[in-house]
């Protein structure tokens, strides 16, 4: 019975998380949601909320953690697609734009809370962005044989550009999103060439 109860508890918790995400939009931020609204959307009594989260802040931090994990998992999938052949940058950007199209509310959460009024939320989002950047840094270092400093600079610049492009792509049509993707691919290629050149010069200066 304990296993069944644990499964039911996790299912209810998931309902609350999905209900909160489902109410986010270009007009509504997480800070505008109330506990009662989230519980009602999940089909639960408000008192049931407290069995899973102490307050809305805890729910929000959970959403940020999930958003960051979802994004990192997505880019890992992109790297698996890259292993089958194709442009690293192009596949990565296309995969990211697919994420924006199907998970816009998740990305909105990261964007808004990164510059929001809650210090705890800002710290949580910055932590997730840093995880994402460091994971990309490790990949670039290994795949392109870059030194750690150059790989980090490239990863940091790439994440900044991609997040900005994601913000632009949130509420546009398919054609505009495709143009944003093409622009982003070109920008990332410029950075990649610069990183490779800088790394080569660094190596030559040491020989």
């Amino acid at each position: 019975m304990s296993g069944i109860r644990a499964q039911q508890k996790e299912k209810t918790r998931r309902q609350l998380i999905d209900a909160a995400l489902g109410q986010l939009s270009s007009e509504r931020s997480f800070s505008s949601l109330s506990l009662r609204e989230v519980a009602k959307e999940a089909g639960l009594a408000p008192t049931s909320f407290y069995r899973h989260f102490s307050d809305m802040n805890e729910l929000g931090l959970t959403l940020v953690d999930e958003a960051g994990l979802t994004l990192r998992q997505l880019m890992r999938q992109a790297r698996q697609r890259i292993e089958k052949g194709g442009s690293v940058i192009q596949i990565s950007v296309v995969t990211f734009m697919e994420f924006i199209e199907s998970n816009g509310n998740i990305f909105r959460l990261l964007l808004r809370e990164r510059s929001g009024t809650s210090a705890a939320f800002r710290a949580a989002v910055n932590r997730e962005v840093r995880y994402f950047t460091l994971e990309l840094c490790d990949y670039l270092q290994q795949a392109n044989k870059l030194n750690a400093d150059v790989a980090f600079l490239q990863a940091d610049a790439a994440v900044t550009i991609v997040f900005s492009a994601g913000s632009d792509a949130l509420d546009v049509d398919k054609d505009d999103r495709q143009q944003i993707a093409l622009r982003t691919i070109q920008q990332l290629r410029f950075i990649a060439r610069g990183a490779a050149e800088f790394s080569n010069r660094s190596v030559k200066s040491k020989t």
Side-chain angles (χ1 to χ4, degrees):
M1 289 295 293
S2 61
I4 295 175
R5 282 197 296 270
Q7 289 177 8
Q8 183 58 46
K9 184 175 182 179
E10 179 56 32
K11 180 181 177 181
T12 305
R13 184 176 183 274
R14 186 75 248 168
Q15 285 175 261
L16 289 166
I17 291 171
D18 291 342
L21 282 174
Q23 292 182 80
L24 300 179
S25 68
S26 57
E27 289 78 31
R28 292 207 71 182
S29 63
F30 180 80
S31 61
S32 72
L33 302 182
S34 71
L35 185 155
R36 287 184 175 276
E37 284 179 309
V38 173
K40 182 179 179 181
E41 182 71 17
L44 302 169
T47 51
S48 298
F49 181 96
Y50 294 106
R51 297 178 191 150
H52 306 277
F53 302 100
S54 60
D55 54 26
M56 286 292 287
N57 280 340
E58 185 180 351
L59 172 59
L61 291 173
T62 299
L63 293 181
V64 169
D65 289 343
E66 285 216 353
L69 179 60
T70 299
L71 190 53
R72 292 200 304 277
Q73 288 175 336
L74 180 87
M75 298 319 292
R76 288 170 195 160
Q77 292 171 12
R79 287 193 282 274
Q80 290 175 355
R81 292 165 70 175
I82 290 166
E83 290 174 0
K84 298 177 182 179
S87 164
V88 172
I89 291 175
Q90 182 173 359
I91 291 174
S92 297
V93 171
V94 168
T95 302
F96 184 77
M97 289 299 171
E98 290 172 353
F99 168 78
I100 295 297
E101 187 173 5
S102 58
N103 300 277
N105 286 350
I106 293 178
F107 191 65
R108 278 193 184 91
L109 180 74
L110 289 174
L111 285 179
R112 283 174 171 161
E113 300 308 331
R114 192 179 189 186
S115 58
T117 57
S118 168
F121 278 25
R122 290 198 304 273
V125 174
N126 286 333
R127 182 180 65 245
E128 294 301 324
V129 172
R130 183 166 179 78
Y131 288 157
F132 187 71
T133 302
L134 291 175
E135 194 166 307
L136 177 58
C137 175
D138 289 342
Y139 173 78
L140 292 172
Q141 191 175 355
Q142 295 175 24
N144 299 338
K145 303 297 186 291
L146 301 176
N147 68 52
D149 290 338
V150 173
F152 180 78
L153 288 172
Q154 183 181 349
D156 188 53
V159 170
T160 299
I161 287 174
V162 167
F163 268 59
S164 176
S167 176
D168 292 341
L170 270 174
D171 299 302
V172 300
D173 60 29
K174 187 174 181 179
D175 289 341
D176 286 343
R177 189 177 295 114
Q178 186 174 19
Q179 289 302 312
I180 293 169
L182 291 173
R183 182 187 71 205
T184 305
I185 289 169
Q186 287 297 99
Q187 290 172 333
L188 293 178
R189 283 175 174 163
F190 292 155
I191 293 173
R193 288 171 185 166
E197 178 66 21
F198 190 85
S199 185
N200 288 337
R201 288 182 181 179
S202 178
V203 170
K204 289 178 180 178
S205 67
K206 295 178 181 179
T207 58

